[in-house]
Amino acid sequence: MNLKKVLLLCFLVFSFASNLDAQVFDPVSWETKTEQISDTEYDLIATATIDAGWHLYSQLVPDGGPIPTTFAFTANSGFELSGKTLEDKGHTVDDPVFEMRIKFFENKAEFRQRIKVLNSELSLVKGEVEFMVCDDEKCLPPNYIDLEFNLKSAADVKEAAISTTIDFSGTPSKILEPVKWMGSVEKLSATEFILVSTATIDEGWKLYAQNIAEGGPIPTSFEYALEEGVHLVGDTYEEKGLESVDKVFNMKIKYFKNKTEFRQKIKVLDTAITTVESEVGFMSCDDTQCTAPTYVDLKYDLTKTTAATSDISGNSDSSDKNSNNGLWTIFLLGLGAGLIALFTPCVFPLIPMTVSFFTKQSKTKSEGIKNALIYGLFIIVIYVILGTGVVAIFGASAINEFSTSVAFNLIFFAILVIFAISFLGAFEIMLPNSWANKIDRKADSGGYTGIFFMALALAIVSFSCTGPFVGNIIVLSATTGGLAPVIGMLGFSLALALPFGLFAAFPGWLNSLPKSGGWLNTVKVVLGFLELAFAFKFLSQADLVLQLHFLEREVFIAIWIAIFGALSLYLFGKIQLPHDSPLKHISVGRLLLGLLTLSFTVYMIPGLWGAPLKIISAFPPPLDYSESPYGVGNSRGGGTSITDIPEGAHLLAPHDILAFNDYETGLAYAKKVGKPVMLDFTGWACVNCRKMEQNVWVDSKVLSKLKNDIVLISLYVDEKINFPEGEAPDSQLRPGKKLRNVGQKWSEFQTVKYKTNTQPYYVLMDHNEENLIEPVAYTPDIEEYEAWLKEGIGNFKN
């Protein structure tokens, strides 16, 4: 230590001593506890609580710096130390006074010392901690505190050492617990209870809902361990939460932030039962990482309850703004669909006919207006009843579940194709004529009853044109659920009904309406082409879920090119369909629409060669779901091609990187070829893993290293492959439990070995399984990630 620093340290200490009689400072308090790791291993834990503004220094401080924190344990033949005393991550700064990097702690710090007990009768371990603290103005002299660790109290501590904040290999742990769970009980009656599972979610993190479509994130799930005499009543209810369209998963996903509750109603027939247990499985993500699928045990004490203010059905959060926004979106889409439906051959000609009927048959103008408005109101009522019937028949929650099923997508693909062919003129979809005839006779009865049946007759007669719109609204409503079909029908029928009231009030406007003609059929045909294009989105979704690879990206794009190319030819008058009028010339509007459609068709063509097509990215399958991930005719740059794939390996699409999904197999191959290993802890449902693969791995310098310089082992922490019967290994993190599947095996491997539980997580290691460089997580900066690869590979070669 140079003279300057010695004098400075002495000045700080003695300046405090000179003011000691003025004020006594005690900014650090110490607490101790123990955790039992195994039959013979314990962790001695010393926790320092530090007053605001003060710093406690690390155990590792360079010579010439402040006094480090030091632990000394009283020698005893009943135990021996295992390794060094480990500490939290803390803060490291360049100290301008001491001219060195110094690590310190604020607010709270935890220190752990693992010991091995040699005498089972040992109950107490003693020690001493020496430390020094400073604030921005002064430092306190070194202080000494005696510590005592009671080993017998460790039996009351849950055996979860691996989930603590310390890595016992000497590295600060990166295990995150962004979601904390608590179970409580509400009492409805002597035999009915509500089990409340409360999730507290850290800032910036998301917890996903129970109903997530296949191919999305891992949903939250509950498994209740029920004794005989306890029955579940209904499903586990969840709050409305938030919804957004995830661009990576290409679907609308529901999630929760900050805090949420899940509620399950039960009926208890046996009064001797006092507790119920459950296991909640869940996954959480923030903007840079996702946790592996996690399972937590919850216990509900039926003897400690609070009074339930309402049954489960009354616990929805009516103030959920996002849900309201979703309903507004459905309403506006329904309104738009209704406005378009007005300009179809089945509806448009009826406007002047119906309005003229009401104005001529009514004794006064005001009566005509009133009857037309009532007519419009009945149109709204009829379509809203249709939406209400859908909810009543299938249930509000079931509608949302339909949207995630293969059967739903296939059924609506077939329906939309049939409607599209009908719009193109192959046939007319009509409800039975007998229905229309009976309704017409009822309409002649006059009065409000007659007006109602006139409105019903409109709905039946125009079904061949309005049916596809109604079907599409119900499809879109399915992604929102709840009352969305009712709201969608309200918007649709309002748009249909509005013209009848307006033109009845202002009959002079009828003269401004364009005359019926061939343009109405053109509108219908254009809608038919659009229906046909959108139908393949539903077929594609079913194909993705089943992983049939029947409708891969190139095939989907080729179909859309064909559909919109044919639409362009139709608009230019090069294709004539059955109900088209003779076309001597095309209008300016039709020409402009044809040019727009042709431009869109040309835009899609590069998609066959791997272009991302960002404008329509929500419709075709993802880039990696294709016959040729790099596009038709692409040379698959980034390195040498692989012709002989070793056993246990595969080519990872879309990059053609040789990859293994088994640790031992991949490590053996790396030793054989003399290359370092890159462990890729990933997940099928990991958003940021896909971002890394799609945005960073595609860079030529990164891709070249991944293909030529390393052996990639991708370990999917959410892999659902189950172990053979009787071969499931024991869980290291949850004693007494068995691992569920291969994904849990890799998740525990990551947690135990690397003390982190989030993905993506990348490790470069040598053949002795030692790290070549500090592992990294989500690294969207291409240059930074490439530099990390380069340094790690260089360390292996050296």
Side-chain angles (χ1 to χ4, degrees):
M1 183 185 300
N2 60 44
L3 182 60
K4 173 185 174 182
K5 293 177 182 177
V6 172
L7 293 174
L8 175 63
L9 185 58
C10 291
F11 173 77
L12 291 172
V13 172
F14 285 109
S15 65
F16 165 78
S18 64
N19 294 296
L20 188 60
D21 55 352
Q23 185 175 6
V24 176
F25 294 96
D26 188 17
V28 181
S29 59
W30 292 87
E31 294 181 355
T32 63
K33 64 177 180 179
T34 57
E35 286 184 2
Q36 186 172 1
I37 307 305
S38 67
D39 291 340
T40 59
E41 290 182 305
Y42 291 78
D43 281 338
L44 310 181
I45 305 170
T47 302
T49 301
I50 309 159
D51 288 352
W54 290 85
H55 296 165
L56 171 70
Y57 292 99
S58 167
Q59 299 174 96
L60 305 173
V61 175
D63 291 339
I67 303 297
T69 300
T70 305
F71 289 86
F73 296 92
T74 305
N76 189 314
S77 60
F79 74 94
E80 62 182 23
L81 301 180
S82 298
K84 299 178 180 179
T85 303
L86 304 175
E87 61 186 30
D88 283 337
K89 187 176 182 180
H91 306 277
T92 303
V93 297
D94 290 311
D95 191 290
V97 176
F98 290 102
E99 298 178 0
M100 63 176 66
R101 289 182 65 79
I102 297 176
K103 177 180 174 181
F104 63 88
F105 306 101
E106 293 181 311
N107 302 322
K108 184 170 281 191
E110 188 176 272
F111 300 85
R112 287 178 174 254
Q113 174 64 58
R114 179 160 293 186
I115 65 169
K116 184 175 182 179
V117 175
L118 306 177
N119 181 358
S120 60
E121 299 300 321
L122 181 69
S123 61
L124 193 67
V125 175
K126 296 183 179 181
E128 179 187 75
V129 57
E130 176 189 10
F131 62 96
M132 171 180 175
V133 289
C134 297
D135 65 6
D136 293 336
E137 299 177 351
K138 54 189 170 294
C139 291
L140 303 186
N143 197 1
Y144 303 86
I145 298 291
D146 292 327
L147 303 175
E148 290 187 353
F149 303 89
N150 185 357
L151 302 185
K152 296 304 180 184
S153 65
D156 299 326
V157 179
K158 184 179 179 181
E159 296 179 6
I162 199 66
S163 64
T164 64
T165 57
I166 299 296
D167 176 354
F168 295 111
S169 63
T171 304
S173 175
K174 300 175 183 177
I175 297 172
L176 300 179
E177 191 182 358
V179 181
K180 286 84 175 176
W181 290 89
M182 183 182 71
S184 59
V185 183
E186 293 181 1
K187 188 173 183 178
L188 289 168
S189 67
T191 59
E192 291 185 321
F193 300 83
I194 296 176
L195 308 180
V196 183
S197 305
T198 303
T200 303
I201 308 160
D202 287 353
E203 183 70 26
W205 287 81
K206 299 176 182 178
L207 172 70
Y208 294 100
Q210 297 176 94
N211 296 317
I212 301 290
E214 292 187 47
I218 303 297
T220 300
S221 61
F222 291 86
E223 288 189 13
Y224 297 92
L226 302 177
E227 299 181 46
E228 188 175 349
V230 180
H231 304 285
L232 299 181
V233 179
D235 298 326
T236 301
Y237 172 88
E238 64 183 30
E239 295 179 340
K240 288 185 176 179
L242 305 168
E243 281 187 330
S244 63
V245 176
D246 192 287
K247 295 181 180 179
V248 174
F249 290 114
N250 193 23
M251 64 175 68
K252 184 178 284 188
I253 295 176
K254 178 180 175 182
Y255 59 91
F256 308 100
K257 302 184 79 172
N258 301 323
K259 194 170 188 177
T260 190
E261 287 184 350
F262 298 84
R263 307 169 75 83
Q264 174 64 58
K265 187 175 180 179
I266 64 169
K267 190 165 187 177
V268 181
L269 304 178
D270 185 352
T271 56
I273 296 175
T274 58
T275 59
V276 176
E277 296 182 357
S278 76
E279 180 185 76
V280 55
F282 63 97
M283 171 182 179
S284 55
C285 297
D286 67 2
D287 292 336
T288 63
Q289 58 201 336
C290 293
T291 61
T294 307
Y295 300 90
V296 172
D297 295 320
L298 295 178
K299 182 175 288 188
Y300 311 89
D301 190 341
L302 303 182
T303 65
K304 299 177 181 179
T305 64
T306 57
T309 56
S310 64
D311 210 333
I312 287 183
S313 58
N315 285 303
S316 61
D317 182 4
S318 60
S319 65
D320 191 312
K321 296 181 180 180
N322 191 275
S323 177
N324 289 336
N325 290 339
L327 292 178
W328 271 109
T329 301
I330 292 296
F331 174 78
L332 293 175
L333 289 173
L335 190 69
L339 293 174
I340 296 174
L342 285 172
F343 297 97
T344 58
C346 312
V347 180
F348 187 81
L350 298 177
I351 297 175
M353 292 171 54
T354 306
V355 171
S356 297
F357 172 81
F358 282 122
T359 55
K360 291 177 182 179
Q361 296 298 320
S362 302
K363 295 179 181 180
T364 63
K365 181 180 178 180
S366 60
E367 185 181 354
I369 294 173
K370 181 186 73 172
N371 289 338
L373 290 175
I374 292 172
Y375 177 74
L377 179 62
F378 280 141
I379 291 174
I380 295 173
V381 169
I382 289 167
Y383 281 100
V384 169
I385 289 175
L386 176 62
T388 306
V390 171
V391 175
I393 293 171
F394 297 107
S397 61
I399 294 172
N400 185 54
E401 293 171 10
F402 286 163
S403 68
T404 66
S405 72
V406 172
F408 173 93
N409 285 282
L410 292 177
I411 289 171
F412 271 95
F413 165 72
I415 290 174
L416 293 184
V417 168
I418 292 171
F419 277 130
I421 295 174
S422 172
F423 269 18
L424 294 175
F427 50 81
E428 290 288 336
I429 300 176
M430 299 179 64
L431 295 175
N433 287 329
S434 60
W435 292 15
N437 294 333
K438 290 180 181 179
I439 296 302
D440 281 338
R441 288 194 293 271
K442 292 284 186 181
D444 295 335
S445 61
Y448 292 155
T449 303
I451 295 174
F452 172 79
F453 282 104
M454 283 184 65
L456 186 57
L458 169 71
I460 292 175
V461 172
S462 65
F463 179 77
S464 61
C465 291
T466 59
F469 294 100
V470 172
N472 282 328
I473 292 169
I474 292 176
V475 171
L476 291 171
S477 303
T479 62
T480 301
L483 296 176
V486 178
I487 301 300
M489 288 295 98
L490 176 63
F492 178 78
S493 57
L494 182 62
L496 280 184
L498 197 59
F500 295 98
L502 290 175
F503 285 112
F506 306 98
W509 290 2
L510 291 172
N511 297 325
S512 64
L513 284 178
K515 294 183 179 181
S516 301
W519 67 273
L520 286 174
N521 189 67
T522 300
V523 171
K524 189 176 178 181
V525 169
V526 170
L527 292 174
F529 277 107
L530 295 177
E531 288 270 351
L532 188 60
F534 291 137
F536 282 94
K537 172 60 181 174
F538 292 97
L539 182 61
S540 171
Q541 188 65 31
D543 183 61
L544 278 167
V545 172
L546 295 175
Q547 290 289 301
L548 299 177
H549 289 267
F550 170 73
L551 191 62
E552 293 179 314
R553 185 179 177 87
E554 295 93 340
V555 179
F556 184 98
I557 293 173
I559 290 172
W560 269 38
I561 290 172
I563 291 173
F564 285 95
L567 176 57
S568 302
L569 293 174
Y570 174 79
L571 291 171
F572 289 135
K574 301 302 181 182
I575 296 177
Q576 291 278 309
L577 291 174
H579 299 295
D580 286 331
S581 303
L583 188 66
K584 296 180 181 179
H585 64 273
I586 61 174
S587 65
V588 174
R590 184 165 178 164
L591 173 65
L592 293 176
L593 183 59
L595 290 173
L596 178 64
T597 307
L598 180 61
S599 300
F600 179 64
T601 305
V602 174
Y603 165 79
M604 289 189 292
I605 293 174
L608 297 173
W609 280 265
L613 304 182
K614 294 182 179 179
I615 293 177
I616 61 169
S617 60
F619 291 95
L623 286 166
D624 60 339
Y625 194 79
S626 62
E627 293 180 14
S628 178
Y630 285 91
V632 178
N634 194 289
S635 61
R636 300 182 177 186
T640 58
S641 61
I642 299 174
T643 55
D644 296 325
I645 300 177
E647 185 177 354
H650 65 280
L651 296 181
L652 181 67
H655 313 295
D656 255 8
I657 305 169
L658 185 70
F660 294 83
N661 292 135
D662 181 77
Y663 181 80
E664 298 296 339
T665 306
L667 181 59
Y669 179 78
K671 293 177 179 178
K672 179 180 177 182
V673 298
K675 295 181 179 180
V677 170
M678 188 176 95
L679 296 182
D680 166 29
F681 289 99
T682 182
W684 299 112
C686 173
V687 178
N688 295 300
C689 302
R690 301 294 86 77
K691 289 181 180 178
M692 286 292 295
E693 293 162 9
Q694 295 170 13
N695 302 327
V696 178
W697 286 16
V698 294
D699 178 78
S700 58
K701 292 186 291 185
V702 172
L703 186 58
S704 177
K705 290 179 173 61
L706 295 177
K707 296 183 73 169
N708 302 314
D709 299 333
I710 59 99
V711 172
L712 177 65
I713 304 177
S714 293
L715 304 177
Y716 289 84
V717 299
D718 55 2
E719 182 63 75
K720 295 297 181 65
I721 299 175
N722 293 324
F723 296 104
E725 186 69 28
E727 295 184 18
D730 294 328
S731 170
Q732 297 182 54
L733 303 182
R734 306 174 72 205
K737 301 275 188 176
K738 294 284 186 180
L739 295 182
R740 293 168 175 258
N741 47 49
V742 172
Q744 275 197 318
K745 173 184 176 181
W746 301 134
S747 175
E748 287 208 352
F749 173 66
Q750 180 190 8
T751 305
V752 172
K753 186 172 178 62
Y754 297 104
K755 304 303 179 287
T756 182
N757 61 339
T758 59
Q759 297 77 44
Y761 191 72
Y762 306 104
V763 179
L764 278 173
M765 69 179 197
D766 60 21
H767 299 160
N768 295 320
E769 304 177 62
E770 297 293 336
N771 291 352
L772 295 167
I773 189 174
E774 186 71 20
V776 297
Y778 179 66
T779 311
D781 187 290
I782 294 175
E783 292 186 1
E784 182 181 349
Y785 190 75
E786 192 269 337
W788 175 78
L789 283 171
K790 183 177 180 180
E791 183 178 350
I793 294 169
N795 292 339
F796 177 81
K797 293 178 178 178
N798 295 332

